[in-house]
Amino acid sequence: MKKYIILLAMACMLVFSMTACGANKDKKDDGKFQIVTTIFPEYDWVRELTKGNDNVEITLLLDNGVDLHSYQPTADDIIKVSDCDMFIYVGGESDEWVEDALANKTNKDMVVINLLDVLGENVKEEELVEGMEGEEEEEEGEEEEGPEYDEHVWLSVKSSSIICSKIAEELEKADPDNKSIYEANAKEYIAKLDELDNKYQDVVSGAKYDTVLFGDRFPFRYLVDDYNLDYFAAFVGCSAESEASFETITFLADKVDELGLKSILQIETSDGKIANTIKDNTKSKNQQILTMDSMQSVTADELQSGVTYISVMESNLEVLKSALN
Ligand SMILES: [Zn+2]
């Protein structure tokens, strides 16, 4: 299906170029530096780093609540990617569509930033911890796959700092006229991220517990690793599995009892069933169920209402504080 859409987009572009470059020419004439981002954190970082430069137009592709694992680009999305000036994407297994889109790019000077490439050795493979359900084995005949990397790198505030430095550096190179704006914005924003990182460290250092337990998928690996928290969860990463087995529920409920945890966590897309079933299977059945936002389905409406990467991570910190005490 994705292939079909991409071919369709290519056909559209061919038509445009045959009709005296209609669309592309108009776009270049408006003179704005076009930056296309896939997920909300990238969008928000670029918004912060380009603050004060009105000559930039930023597009968020995933703005209707569909997460990066389920996203299918439209023909229009493919066109936006292929002729923008800067394209930022995560670069994990959910972004396989990008390769085809970039192979046919019409702007040969495009700056492409792949978050996993930027982080290099800091990228972690998905980890199956005790009690967790793995993904179902691939059907026979499917290609051998390499290691599965955890794509949720934006949930590390430390990694976000590294990524923002890289984005600022590329903006300075691509648009040297506004170098001083990007430099100043990066300095200010990275200081805010560092402050947030320190706040997380303080909360964890002063906490009663050092373990979080998610009755859900688990995109927060990078966050818990940054502060040496232990974790248990029903599923590895954003596994496509949605039903937890009896063994998983029992294991997690026993873990809650054993550690005396007061909270069971879940993520923003949860229907609450698994966390509640775990709670019902504990001895005391009185845990609070708390939700952390992994920013995988931020919508255009939320964006309008002023949500930022830092505001979400500040809220997550309050949730974490409650879960650890
Ligand atoms: Zn995910």
Side-chain angles (χ1 to χ4, degrees), residues 16-17 19-31 83 106:
F16 277 132
S17 55
T19 54
C21 313
N24 287 338
K25 195 153 177 282
D26 287 350
K27 196 164 180 186
K28 288 220 173 82
D29 282 349
D30 86 359
D83 68 358
T106 51

Side-chain angles (χ1 to χ4, degrees), residues 2 5-6 61 71-78 97:
K2 283 184 187 178
I5 291 170
I6 291 166
L61 290 182
Y71 170 71
Q72 304 264 1
T74 63
D76 193 42
D77 291 343
I78 298 280
W97 63 273

Side-chain angles (χ1 to χ4, degrees), residues 105 253 270 311:
K105 65 185 179 200
S270 179
S311 73

